[in-house]
Amino acid sequence: MKYYNSYFDRQELSSAAHETLLHLEARKKASSPVWMPIGALAACTALIVAAGVWKLSPAPAPAPAQSGSQITLDNVPTAEDQPLQTDVSQPGDWETSFVVSNSGMKGKLAFPMIPGIEYPDQTESPDMALSRAYMPGAFTVDLAKEDIQTIFWGPEGKPQADHPKTEQGDLPWMLFWDGYTIHAHALYDGQGQLAKLTIFGEKGRASFELELCPGDLPFTCSVDLSREDQLSEFNGVEVAGWSQVYDRDGDGQDDYICGSEFMSKNDIGVRFVNRNSLMRAEYEQDGNMDLGGAQTFNALFVRQALTDGGGLYLDHLMINEAIPAWREETFDTLAQARQEADFAPYLPTAEPSGYGEFYGRLSYQEGAQNMLFVRWNQGYDNVEVAVYRGENHSYNLADPARPETYDLRLYPIPWCDSVPQEYWDTVNDPAFRAEDMSLELVEARGREHDTGGMTYSFEVLHPDGTVVSYRCDALSARQVWELVEETL
């Protein structure tokens, strides 16, 4: 298969032959294909890259769509022509991000053989509530461009081209990530073992997220790989695919989302999810071209990850010896928690009346967090106090003289309709300076609780920079104020 792929990667067609292939009759789709039909594929995926834009060449006159994967990217601007949206977080905001360049492929014809992965519609499937076990001491590290390249090319690095057609750019061109802004980070446990790696990519409305886990599927995987009816097989590996079509971001346009999940041959768990695509393709006969483009983009990644000439490599990232200092402690009583001298002045001195079950935890990580949390529970009601030391906790400082920025009594529910956007952060979670705190401010933060009574939430910024967060159910405003007042 390696030499077969290499052979096809070097082939070029004359314009006459290309035009003939474009008008081949459609073939019926195989019941369980490994590759998309070869005849239609060759016709519909002969691509040319010019000035960084993928498109069919020559452009045929309007005609009924052919089967296979007809990819059209006419008039799509290059990465340089697409300004980042400044009002939302972008992968390019990260210092280690980069824009993928595959300039070596420009002006060359190519035949990407696309796996026949099934992507059943799961738009109406119920959402899954996912959770994972807390990892004490876990930390993340941003990955450099070279780290990401090694994931796809291994320790040998970028292969040397034996033909101009096989010249590579920043990443394997068959991924079709040209022009995407890429950022990646690795999550390690407290012993420096790699737990998960995530790569993000974005280009215009198109984006993707790739999760890789050594030895197991990412915890976010949602398809049971023992269910054969949900699987496709490609190159000896079972692949679970799925798709969704809905307006995910509320902009009035449908988003086309595709996902694939599988275990690679070298025991790496993979979850690849992409939203939209800058290509349009008929992945299935008479299928939606926008959805087909997203399916094709996803299937091209599966091809790269599972073909003999591709693959995934994590050995260079499995161990990180630069482990930040960390400490995790749990407490069974308030008295134990108050033994922590740095935190004791900001903790309650007595249990809140009517509450029984207690939980306390200290969580420290060098350069990231220094927090002590205590909670009392009674049924569905909680009294929670979290003390944050150091400069790593962000807060939304509110001005007591401007009640419109924090007073919940001014805004009827739903708040999304009544609270002005410029006040969202402070109305939702305000912080007040310790010297400004009063019973009146506590009262302004009260709202009805679904189990009866009131609930209060706010933060207090102390002169030394310590921030104390309060979340109190079923107490009166005066009881909450007493918790605060003794720390001032």
mmCIF file of all heavy atoms in Angstrom, residues 69-71 114 117 119 175 180 205-208 242-245 255-260 272-283 288-302:
data_model
loop_
_atom_site.group_PDB
_atom_site.id
_atom_site.type_symbol
_atom_site.label_atom_id
_atom_site.label_comp_id
_atom_site.label_asym_id
_atom_site.label_seq_id
_atom_site.Cartn_x
_atom_site.Cartn_y
_atom_site.Cartn_z
ATOM 1 N N SER A 69 -16.383 12.083 -4.551
ATOM 2 C CA SER A 69 -16.119 13.227 -3.691
ATOM 3 C C SER A 69 -15.693 14.410 -4.527
ATOM 4 O O SER A 69 -14.519 14.680 -4.692
ATOM 5 C CB SER A 69 -15.037 12.861 -2.669
ATOM 6 O OG SER A 69 -14.873 13.883 -1.751
ATOM 7 N N GLN A 70 -16.670 15.096 -5.094
ATOM 8 C CA GLN A 70 -16.383 16.248 -5.937
ATOM 9 C C GLN A 70 -16.103 17.460 -5.075
ATOM 10 O O GLN A 70 -16.977 17.983 -4.415
ATOM 11 C CB GLN A 70 -17.572 16.525 -6.863
ATOM 12 C CG GLN A 70 -17.353 17.724 -7.764
ATOM 13 C CD GLN A 70 -18.492 17.916 -8.714
ATOM 14 O OE1 GLN A 70 -19.212 16.977 -9.012
ATOM 15 N NE2 GLN A 70 -18.670 19.133 -9.176
ATOM 16 N N ILE A 71 -14.867 17.905 -5.081
ATOM 17 C CA ILE A 71 -14.437 18.959 -4.177
ATOM 18 C C ILE A 71 -14.359 20.280 -4.925
ATOM 19 O O ILE A 71 -13.721 20.374 -5.963
ATOM 20 C CB ILE A 71 -13.064 18.630 -3.563
ATOM 21 C CG1 ILE A 71 -13.137 17.312 -2.800
ATOM 22 C CG2 ILE A 71 -12.563 19.745 -2.685
ATOM 23 C CD1 ILE A 71 -11.827 16.849 -2.268
ATOM 24 N N ILE A 114 -9.933 8.790 -0.829
ATOM 25 C CA ILE A 114 -10.686 9.099 0.377
ATOM 26 C C ILE A 114 -11.332 7.839 0.941
ATOM 27 O O ILE A 114 -12.071 7.148 0.247
ATOM 28 C CB ILE A 114 -11.770 10.157 0.064
ATOM 29 C CG1 ILE A 114 -11.106 11.410 -0.518
ATOM 30 C CG2 ILE A 114 -12.561 10.503 1.321
ATOM 31 C CD1 ILE A 114 -12.073 12.424 -1.042
ATOM 32 N N ILE A 117 -15.665 6.102 4.971
ATOM 33 C CA ILE A 117 -16.131 6.062 6.359
ATOM 34 C C ILE A 117 -17.607 6.462 6.398
ATOM 35 O O ILE A 117 -18.011 7.434 5.764
ATOM 36 C CB ILE A 117 -15.304 7.008 7.249
ATOM 37 C CG1 ILE A 117 -13.803 6.712 7.107
ATOM 38 C CG2 ILE A 117 -15.751 6.905 8.704
ATOM 39 C CD1 ILE A 117 -13.415 5.324 7.500
ATOM 40 N N TYR A 119 -20.756 8.165 8.135
ATOM 41 C CA TYR A 119 -20.994 9.237 9.099
ATOM 42 C C TYR A 119 -22.499 9.369 9.344
ATOM 43 O O TYR A 119 -23.131 10.317 8.869
ATOM 44 C CB TYR A 119 -20.430 10.566 8.584
ATOM 45 C CG TYR A 119 -18.921 10.590 8.472
ATOM 46 C CD1 TYR A 119 -18.289 10.312 7.265
ATOM 47 C CD2 TYR A 119 -18.139 10.874 9.580
ATOM 48 C CE1 TYR A 119 -16.905 10.341 7.162
ATOM 49 C CE2 TYR A 119 -16.745 10.901 9.490
ATOM 50 C CZ TYR A 119 -16.137 10.626 8.270
ATOM 51 O OH TYR A 119 -14.765 10.643 8.177
ATOM 52 N N LEU A 175 -3.566 16.142 4.641
ATOM 53 C CA LEU A 175 -4.516 16.552 5.675
ATOM 54 C C LEU A 175 -5.443 17.668 5.185
ATOM 55 O O LEU A 175 -6.518 17.875 5.742
ATOM 56 C CB LEU A 175 -3.762 17.042 6.915
ATOM 57 C CG LEU A 175 -3.019 16.000 7.745
ATOM 58 C CD1 LEU A 175 -2.106 16.689 8.754
ATOM 59 C CD2 LEU A 175 -3.998 15.084 8.460
ATOM 60 N N TYR A 180 -4.803 26.772 7.803
ATOM 61 C CA TYR A 180 -5.404 26.707 9.138
ATOM 62 C C TYR A 180 -4.417 27.235 10.174
ATOM 63 O O TYR A 180 -3.215 26.959 10.113
ATOM 64 C CB TYR A 180 -5.772 25.267 9.500
ATOM 65 C CG TYR A 180 -7.107 24.814 8.965
ATOM 66 C CD1 TYR A 180 -7.259 24.482 7.619
ATOM 67 C CD2 TYR A 180 -8.214 24.718 9.800
ATOM 68 C CE1 TYR A 180 -8.490 24.066 7.119
ATOM 69 C CE2 TYR A 180 -9.449 24.302 9.311
ATOM 70 C CZ TYR A 180 -9.568 23.982 7.969
ATOM 71 O OH TYR A 180 -10.790 23.578 7.474
ATOM 72 N N ARG A 205 -14.856 29.991 8.906
ATOM 73 C CA ARG A 205 -15.914 29.295 9.634
ATOM 74 C C ARG A 205 -15.546 27.842 9.927
ATOM 75 O O ARG A 205 -16.259 27.153 10.655
ATOM 76 C CB ARG A 205 -17.230 29.306 8.845
ATOM 77 C CG ARG A 205 -17.894 30.666 8.726
ATOM 78 C CD ARG A 205 -19.292 30.540 8.139
ATOM 79 N NE ARG A 205 -20.213 29.916 9.073
ATOM 80 C CZ ARG A 205 -20.885 28.802 8.838
ATOM 81 N NH1 ARG A 205 -20.717 28.135 7.700
ATOM 82 N NH2 ARG A 205 -21.733 28.318 9.736
ATOM 83 N N ALA A 206 -14.481 27.370 9.344
ATOM 84 C CA ALA A 206 -14.086 25.976 9.528
ATOM 85 C C ALA A 206 -13.148 25.837 10.719
ATOM 86 O O ALA A 206 -12.279 26.680 10.945
ATOM 87 C CB ALA A 206 -13.412 25.450 8.268
ATOM 88 N N SER A 207 -13.328 24.770 11.489
ATOM 89 C CA SER A 207 -12.462 24.522 12.637
ATOM 90 C C SER A 207 -12.422 23.027 12.921
ATOM 91 O O SER A 207 -13.265 22.267 12.439
ATOM 92 C CB SER A 207 -12.960 25.279 13.876
ATOM 93 O OG SER A 207 -14.257 24.839 14.241
ATOM 94 N N PHE A 208 -11.443 22.598 13.708
ATOM 95 C CA PHE A 208 -11.384 21.192 14.117
ATOM 96 C C PHE A 208 -10.708 21.079 15.467
ATOM 97 O O PHE A 208 -10.006 21.983 15.927
ATOM 98 C CB PHE A 208 -10.663 20.333 13.073
ATOM 99 C CG PHE A 208 -9.196 20.626 12.907
ATOM 100 C CD1 PHE A 208 -8.251 20.143 13.811
ATOM 101 C CD2 PHE A 208 -8.748 21.390 11.839
ATOM 102 C CE1 PHE A 208 -6.899 20.405 13.660
ATOM 103 C CE2 PHE A 208 -7.394 21.667 11.677
ATOM 104 C CZ PHE A 208 -6.476 21.169 12.579
ATOM 105 N N TRP A 242 -19.631 9.828 12.812
ATOM 106 C CA TRP A 242 -20.936 10.417 13.068
ATOM 107 C C TRP A 242 -20.957 11.836 12.518
ATOM 108 O O TRP A 242 -19.920 12.440 12.252
ATOM 109 C CB TRP A 242 -21.264 10.420 14.564
ATOM 110 C CG TRP A 242 -20.210 11.003 15.448
ATOM 111 C CD1 TRP A 242 -19.185 10.325 16.058
ATOM 112 C CD2 TRP A 242 -20.043 12.384 15.805
ATOM 113 N NE1 TRP A 242 -18.401 11.190 16.776
ATOM 114 C CE2 TRP A 242 -18.893 12.458 16.653
ATOM 115 C CE3 TRP A 242 -20.737 13.548 15.518
ATOM 116 C CZ2 TRP A 242 -18.444 13.654 17.190
ATOM 117 C CZ3 TRP A 242 -20.289 14.746 16.063
ATOM 118 C CH2 TRP A 242 -19.168 14.782 16.885
ATOM 119 N N SER A 243 -22.155 12.361 12.327
ATOM 120 C CA SER A 243 -22.292 13.726 11.824
ATOM 121 C C SER A 243 -23.498 14.400 12.469
ATOM 122 O O SER A 243 -24.408 13.742 12.968
ATOM 123 C CB SER A 243 -22.450 13.727 10.299
ATOM 124 O OG SER A 243 -23.638 13.060 9.916
ATOM 125 N N GLN A 244 -23.489 15.725 12.454
ATOM 126 C CA GLN A 244 -24.598 16.538 12.955
ATOM 127 C C GLN A 244 -24.728 17.772 12.074
ATOM 128 O O GLN A 244 -23.720 18.298 11.582
ATOM 129 C CB GLN A 244 -24.363 16.976 14.404
ATOM 130 C CG GLN A 244 -24.311 15.844 15.411
ATOM 131 C CD GLN A 244 -24.002 16.333 16.819
ATOM 132 O OE1 GLN A 244 -23.211 17.254 16.998
ATOM 133 N NE2 GLN A 244 -24.621 15.724 17.811
ATOM 134 N N VAL A 245 -25.957 18.229 11.893
ATOM 135 C CA VAL A 245 -26.219 19.453 11.143
ATOM 136 C C VAL A 245 -27.187 20.306 11.957
ATOM 137 O O VAL A 245 -28.347 19.933 12.143
ATOM 138 C CB VAL A 245 -26.810 19.168 9.746
ATOM 139 C CG1 VAL A 245 -27.073 20.487 9.008
ATOM 140 C CG2 VAL A 245 -25.883 18.272 8.931
ATOM 141 N N ASP A 255 -24.383 24.571 10.799
ATOM 142 C CA ASP A 255 -23.011 24.090 10.908
ATOM 143 C C ASP A 255 -23.002 22.601 10.597
ATOM 144 O O ASP A 255 -23.890 21.853 11.022
ATOM 145 C CB ASP A 255 -22.458 24.344 12.315
ATOM 146 C CG ASP A 255 -22.284 25.824 12.599
ATOM 147 O OD1 ASP A 255 -21.453 26.454 11.931
ATOM 148 O OD2 ASP A 255 -22.990 26.361 13.478
ATOM 149 N N TYR A 256 -21.972 22.177 9.881
ATOM 150 C CA TYR A 256 -21.851 20.780 9.448
ATOM 151 C C TYR A 256 -20.692 20.166 10.227
ATOM 152 O O TYR A 256 -19.535 20.522 10.033
ATOM 153 C CB TYR A 256 -21.627 20.720 7.944
ATOM 154 C CG TYR A 256 -22.778 21.331 7.178
ATOM 155 C CD1 TYR A 256 -22.790 22.694 6.888
ATOM 156 C CD2 TYR A 256 -23.869 20.558 6.790
ATOM 157 C CE1 TYR A 256 -23.865 23.263 6.208
ATOM 158 C CE2 TYR A 256 -24.942 21.117 6.106
ATOM 159 C CZ TYR A 256 -24.933 22.471 5.824
ATOM 160 O OH TYR A 256 -26.002 23.028 5.159
ATOM 161 N N ILE A 257 -21.030 19.257 11.136
ATOM 162 C CA ILE A 257 -20.073 18.727 12.104
ATOM 163 C C ILE A 257 -19.887 17.238 11.858
ATOM 164 O O ILE A 257 -20.865 16.490 11.723
ATOM 165 C CB ILE A 257 -20.571 18.967 13.539
ATOM 166 C CG1 ILE A 257 -20.826 20.469 13.757
ATOM 167 C CG2 ILE A 257 -19.580 18.433 14.567
ATOM 168 C CD1 ILE A 257 -21.687 20.788 14.944
ATOM 169 N N CYS A 258 -18.650 16.803 11.774
ATOM 170 C CA CYS A 258 -18.348 15.384 11.580
ATOM 171 C C CYS A 258 -17.310 14.945 12.608
ATOM 172 O O CYS A 258 -16.415 15.716 12.968
ATOM 173 C CB CYS A 258 -17.802 15.132 10.175
ATOM 174 S SG CYS A 258 -19.040 15.319 8.884
ATOM 175 N N GLY A 259 -17.443 13.714 13.065
ATOM 176 C CA GLY A 259 -16.493 13.180 14.027
ATOM 177 C C GLY A 259 -16.102 11.759 13.685
ATOM 178 O O GLY A 259 -16.895 10.995 13.104
ATOM 179 N N SER A 260 -14.889 11.392 14.035
ATOM 180 C CA SER A 260 -14.418 10.009 13.903
ATOM 181 C C SER A 260 -13.631 9.640 15.149
ATOM 182 O O SER A 260 -12.921 10.483 15.715
ATOM 183 C CB SER A 260 -13.561 9.836 12.643
ATOM 184 O OG SER A 260 -12.515 10.777 12.600
ATOM 185 N N PHE A 272 -11.400 12.890 16.332
ATOM 186 C CA PHE A 272 -11.215 14.026 15.443
ATOM 187 C C PHE A 272 -12.587 14.576 15.069
ATOM 188 O O PHE A 272 -13.406 13.873 14.482
ATOM 189 C CB PHE A 272 -10.460 13.608 14.187
ATOM 190 C CG PHE A 272 -10.191 14.750 13.231
ATOM 191 C CD1 PHE A 272 -9.354 15.787 13.598
ATOM 192 C CD2 PHE A 272 -10.772 14.783 11.972
ATOM 193 C CE1 PHE A 272 -9.096 16.837 12.730
ATOM 194 C CE2 PHE A 272 -10.517 15.826 11.091
ATOM 195 C CZ PHE A 272 -9.677 16.855 11.477
ATOM 196 N N VAL A 273 -12.846 15.827 15.439
ATOM 197 C CA VAL A 273 -14.132 16.464 15.179
ATOM 198 C C VAL A 273 -13.883 17.759 14.423
ATOM 199 O O VAL A 273 -13.086 18.596 14.864
ATOM 200 C CB VAL A 273 -14.902 16.757 16.477
ATOM 201 C CG1 VAL A 273 -16.230 17.442 16.172
ATOM 202 C CG2 VAL A 273 -15.153 15.469 17.257
ATOM 203 N N ASN A 274 -14.529 17.920 13.284
ATOM 204 C CA ASN A 274 -14.400 19.158 12.530
ATOM 205 C C ASN A 274 -15.765 19.784 12.299
ATOM 206 O O ASN A 274 -16.773 19.094 12.148
ATOM 207 C CB ASN A 274 -13.696 18.926 11.191
ATOM 208 C CG ASN A 274 -14.403 17.930 10.294
ATOM 209 O OD1 ASN A 274 -14.349 16.726 10.548
ATOM 210 N ND2 ASN A 274 -15.054 18.407 9.244
ATOM 211 N N ARG A 275 -15.782 21.106 12.321
ATOM 212 C CA ARG A 275 -17.005 21.860 12.063
ATOM 213 C C ARG A 275 -16.830 22.631 10.769
ATOM 214 O O ARG A 275 -15.928 23.440 10.625
ATOM 215 C CB ARG A 275 -17.300 22.828 13.207
ATOM 216 C CG ARG A 275 -18.601 23.613 13.013
ATOM 217 C CD ARG A 275 -18.925 24.482 14.201
ATOM 218 N NE ARG A 275 -17.991 25.582 14.347
ATOM 219 C CZ ARG A 275 -18.148 26.585 15.198
ATOM 220 N NH1 ARG A 275 -19.185 26.608 16.011
ATOM 221 N NH2 ARG A 275 -17.257 27.547 15.275
ATOM 222 N N ASN A 276 -17.727 22.341 9.815
ATOM 223 C CA ASN A 276 -17.694 22.979 8.496
ATOM 224 C C ASN A 276 -16.401 22.634 7.761
ATOM 225 O O ASN A 276 -15.506 21.974 8.292
ATOM 226 C CB ASN A 276 -17.881 24.492 8.609
ATOM 227 C CG ASN A 276 -19.179 24.852 9.305
ATOM 228 O OD1 ASN A 276 -20.211 24.230 9.052
ATOM 229 N ND2 ASN A 276 -19.143 25.845 10.191
ATOM 230 N N SER A 277 -16.326 23.081 6.538
ATOM 231 C CA SER A 277 -15.151 22.843 5.712
ATOM 232 C C SER A 277 -15.157 23.886 4.612
ATOM 233 O O SER A 277 -16.219 24.333 4.172
ATOM 234 C CB SER A 277 -15.177 21.436 5.108
ATOM 235 O OG SER A 277 -14.137 21.282 4.151
ATOM 236 N N LEU A 278 -13.966 24.285 4.180
ATOM 237 C CA LEU A 278 -13.886 25.239 3.084
ATOM 238 C C LEU A 278 -14.043 24.571 1.733
ATOM 239 O O LEU A 278 -14.111 25.258 0.713
ATOM 240 C CB LEU A 278 -12.558 25.997 3.149
ATOM 241 C CG LEU A 278 -12.366 26.827 4.422
ATOM 242 C CD1 LEU A 278 -11.066 27.612 4.341
ATOM 243 C CD2 LEU A 278 -13.528 27.780 4.639
ATOM 244 N N MET A 279 -14.086 23.249 1.708
ATOM 245 C CA MET A 279 -14.363 22.523 0.481
ATOM 246 C C MET A 279 -15.836 22.116 0.446
ATOM 247 O O MET A 279 -16.500 22.048 1.479
ATOM 248 C CB MET A 279 -13.480 21.282 0.370
ATOM 249 C CG MET A 279 -13.732 20.228 1.430
ATOM 250 S SD MET A 279 -12.717 18.755 1.230
ATOM 251 C CE MET A 279 -11.100 19.374 1.634
ATOM 252 N N ARG A 280 -16.347 21.888 -0.733
ATOM 253 C CA ARG A 280 -17.670 21.318 -0.915
ATOM 254 C C ARG A 280 -17.484 20.027 -1.693
ATOM 255 O O ARG A 280 -16.730 19.982 -2.657
ATOM 256 C CB ARG A 280 -18.615 22.270 -1.648
ATOM 257 C CG ARG A 280 -18.775 23.609 -0.941
ATOM 258 C CD ARG A 280 -19.763 24.503 -1.661
ATOM 259 N NE ARG A 280 -21.139 24.060 -1.440
ATOM 260 C CZ ARG A 280 -21.988 23.692 -2.391
ATOM 261 N NH1 ARG A 280 -21.590 23.660 -3.649
ATOM 262 N NH2 ARG A 280 -23.220 23.317 -2.091
ATOM 263 N N ALA A 281 -18.132 18.967 -1.261
ATOM 264 C CA ALA A 281 -17.893 17.666 -1.882
ATOM 265 C C ALA A 281 -19.150 16.799 -1.804
ATOM 266 O O ALA A 281 -19.904 16.885 -0.833
ATOM 267 C CB ALA A 281 -16.733 16.955 -1.180
ATOM 268 N N GLU A 282 -19.345 15.981 -2.828
ATOM 269 C CA GLU A 282 -20.438 15.008 -2.801
ATOM 270 C C GLU A 282 -19.881 13.696 -2.270
ATOM 271 O O GLU A 282 -19.482 12.819 -3.021
ATOM 272 C CB GLU A 282 -21.050 14.819 -4.187
ATOM 273 C CG GLU A 282 -22.342 13.991 -4.143
ATOM 274 C CD GLU A 282 -22.946 13.822 -5.526
ATOM 275 O OE1 GLU A 282 -22.179 13.823 -6.503
ATOM 276 O OE2 GLU A 282 -24.162 13.670 -5.617
ATOM 277 N N TYR A 283 -19.826 13.598 -0.960
ATOM 278 C CA TYR A 283 -19.246 12.411 -0.325
ATOM 279 C C TYR A 283 -20.131 11.196 -0.558
ATOM 280 O O TYR A 283 -19.647 10.082 -0.708
ATOM 281 C CB TYR A 283 -19.072 12.683 1.172
ATOM 282 C CG TYR A 283 -18.309 11.622 1.929
ATOM 283 C CD1 TYR A 283 -16.917 11.581 1.877
ATOM 284 C CD2 TYR A 283 -18.973 10.669 2.703
ATOM 285 C CE1 TYR A 283 -16.206 10.620 2.577
ATOM 286 C CE2 TYR A 283 -18.276 9.707 3.405
ATOM 287 C CZ TYR A 283 -16.893 9.685 3.334
ATOM 288 O OH TYR A 283 -16.193 8.726 4.022
ATOM 289 N N ASN A 288 -25.701 16.272 0.449
ATOM 290 C CA ASN A 288 -25.489 17.692 0.672
ATOM 291 C C ASN A 288 -24.008 18.014 0.481
ATOM 292 O O ASN A 288 -23.141 17.396 1.097
ATOM 293 C CB ASN A 288 -25.956 18.057 2.081
ATOM 294 C CG ASN A 288 -25.772 19.514 2.413
ATOM 295 O OD1 ASN A 288 -24.661 19.998 2.529
ATOM 296 N ND2 ASN A 288 -26.886 20.231 2.578
ATOM 297 N N MET A 289 -23.715 18.991 -0.346
ATOM 298 C CA MET A 289 -22.324 19.290 -0.675
ATOM 299 C C MET A 289 -21.558 19.898 0.493
ATOM 300 O O MET A 289 -20.351 19.690 0.634
ATOM 301 C CB MET A 289 -22.271 20.226 -1.884
ATOM 302 C CG MET A 289 -22.793 19.618 -3.167
ATOM 303 S SD MET A 289 -21.625 18.457 -3.907
ATOM 304 C CE MET A 289 -20.455 19.608 -4.644
ATOM 305 N N ASP A 290 -22.232 20.686 1.339
ATOM 306 C CA ASP A 290 -21.554 21.261 2.499
ATOM 307 C C ASP A 290 -21.241 20.183 3.527
ATOM 308 O O ASP A 290 -20.136 20.134 4.085
ATOM 309 C CB ASP A 290 -22.412 22.359 3.122
ATOM 310 C CG ASP A 290 -22.537 23.572 2.215
ATOM 311 O OD1 ASP A 290 -21.498 24.076 1.761
ATOM 312 O OD2 ASP A 290 -23.672 23.995 1.945
ATOM 313 N N LEU A 291 -22.222 19.314 3.798
ATOM 314 C CA LEU A 291 -21.963 18.190 4.697
ATOM 315 C C LEU A 291 -20.909 17.275 4.099
ATOM 316 O O LEU A 291 -20.023 16.781 4.805
ATOM 317 C CB LEU A 291 -23.258 17.428 4.959
ATOM 318 C CG LEU A 291 -23.136 16.166 5.819
ATOM 319 C CD1 LEU A 291 -22.583 16.498 7.203
ATOM 320 C CD2 LEU A 291 -24.483 15.457 5.946
ATOM 321 N N GLY A 292 -20.994 17.047 2.794
ATOM 322 C CA GLY A 292 -20.001 16.200 2.133
ATOM 323 C C GLY A 292 -18.599 16.751 2.243
ATOM 324 O O GLY A 292 -17.631 15.995 2.383
ATOM 325 N N GLY A 293 -18.462 18.084 2.205
ATOM 326 C CA GLY A 293 -17.144 18.675 2.390
ATOM 327 C C GLY A 293 -16.598 18.410 3.775
ATOM 328 O O GLY A 293 -15.417 18.098 3.953
ATOM 329 N N ALA A 294 -17.460 18.520 4.788
ATOM 330 C CA ALA A 294 -17.030 18.226 6.157
ATOM 331 C C ALA A 294 -16.680 16.752 6.316
ATOM 332 O O ALA A 294 -15.703 16.397 6.996
ATOM 333 C CB ALA A 294 -18.130 18.626 7.142
ATOM 334 N N GLN A 295 -17.470 15.867 5.695
ATOM 335 C CA GLN A 295 -17.181 14.429 5.763
ATOM 336 C C GLN A 295 -15.861 14.109 5.069
ATOM 337 O O GLN A 295 -15.053 13.322 5.570
ATOM 338 C CB GLN A 295 -18.334 13.654 5.126
ATOM 339 C CG GLN A 295 -19.636 13.720 5.920
ATOM 340 C CD GLN A 295 -20.812 13.176 5.152
ATOM 341 O OE1 GLN A 295 -20.906 13.329 3.920
ATOM 342 N NE2 GLN A 295 -21.751 12.544 5.853
ATOM 343 N N THR A 296 -15.636 14.722 3.918
ATOM 344 C CA THR A 296 -14.397 14.481 3.180
ATOM 345 C C THR A 296 -13.190 14.952 3.981
ATOM 346 O O THR A 296 -12.175 14.257 4.075
ATOM 347 C CB THR A 296 -14.441 15.207 1.824
ATOM 348 O OG1 THR A 296 -15.546 14.706 1.061
ATOM 349 C CG2 THR A 296 -13.154 15.001 1.049
ATOM 350 N N PHE A 297 -13.281 16.131 4.576
ATOM 351 C CA PHE A 297 -12.196 16.669 5.401
ATOM 352 C C PHE A 297 -11.877 15.712 6.542
ATOM 353 O O PHE A 297 -10.701 15.450 6.854
ATOM 354 C CB PHE A 297 -12.599 18.039 5.934
ATOM 355 C CG PHE A 297 -11.525 18.747 6.705
ATOM 356 C CD1 PHE A 297 -10.566 19.502 6.051
ATOM 357 C CD2 PHE A 297 -11.477 18.679 8.090
ATOM 358 C CE1 PHE A 297 -9.572 20.170 6.766
ATOM 359 C CE2 PHE A 297 -10.500 19.337 8.799
ATOM 360 C CZ PHE A 297 -9.535 20.087 8.142
ATOM 361 N N ASN A 298 -12.914 15.163 7.176
ATOM 362 C CA ASN A 298 -12.701 14.228 8.280
ATOM 363 C C ASN A 298 -12.075 12.930 7.791
ATOM 364 O O ASN A 298 -11.132 12.407 8.397
ATOM 365 C CB ASN A 298 -14.032 13.951 8.983
ATOM 366 C CG ASN A 298 -13.849 13.318 10.342
ATOM 367 O OD1 ASN A 298 -13.563 12.138 10.445
ATOM 368 N ND2 ASN A 298 -14.017 14.101 11.392
ATOM 369 N N ALA A 299 -12.598 12.407 6.665
ATOM 370 C CA ALA A 299 -12.084 11.147 6.139
ATOM 371 C C ALA A 299 -10.636 11.269 5.677
ATOM 372 O O ALA A 299 -9.863 10.304 5.771
ATOM 373 C CB ALA A 299 -12.969 10.674 4.979
ATOM 374 N N LEU A 300 -10.226 12.450 5.187
ATOM 375 C CA LEU A 300 -8.842 12.639 4.786
ATOM 376 C C LEU A 300 -7.903 12.534 5.996
ATOM 377 O O LEU A 300 -6.784 12.019 5.879
ATOM 378 C CB LEU A 300 -8.672 14.004 4.113
ATOM 379 C CG LEU A 300 -9.197 14.087 2.674
ATOM 380 C CD1 LEU A 300 -9.265 15.543 2.226
ATOM 381 C CD2 LEU A 300 -8.313 13.283 1.725
ATOM 382 N N PHE A 301 -8.352 13.006 7.159
ATOM 383 C CA PHE A 301 -7.533 12.821 8.364
ATOM 384 C C PHE A 301 -7.423 11.342 8.714
ATOM 385 O O PHE A 301 -6.344 10.858 9.061
ATOM 386 C CB PHE A 301 -8.112 13.586 9.551
ATOM 387 C CG PHE A 301 -7.479 13.162 10.845
ATOM 388 C CD1 PHE A 301 -6.226 13.623 11.199
ATOM 389 C CD2 PHE A 301 -8.107 12.248 11.685
ATOM 390 C CE1 PHE A 301 -5.608 13.193 12.369
ATOM 391 C CE2 PHE A 301 -7.508 11.817 12.852
ATOM 392 C CZ PHE A 301 -6.243 12.289 13.189
ATOM 393 N N VAL A 302 -8.554 10.610 8.659
ATOM 394 C CA VAL A 302 -8.520 9.173 8.949
ATOM 395 C C VAL A 302 -7.521 8.483 8.031
ATOM 396 O O VAL A 302 -6.743 7.619 8.464
ATOM 397 C CB VAL A 302 -9.926 8.559 8.794
ATOM 398 C CG1 VAL A 302 -9.874 7.045 8.991
ATOM 399 C CG2 VAL A 302 -10.899 9.174 9.793
#
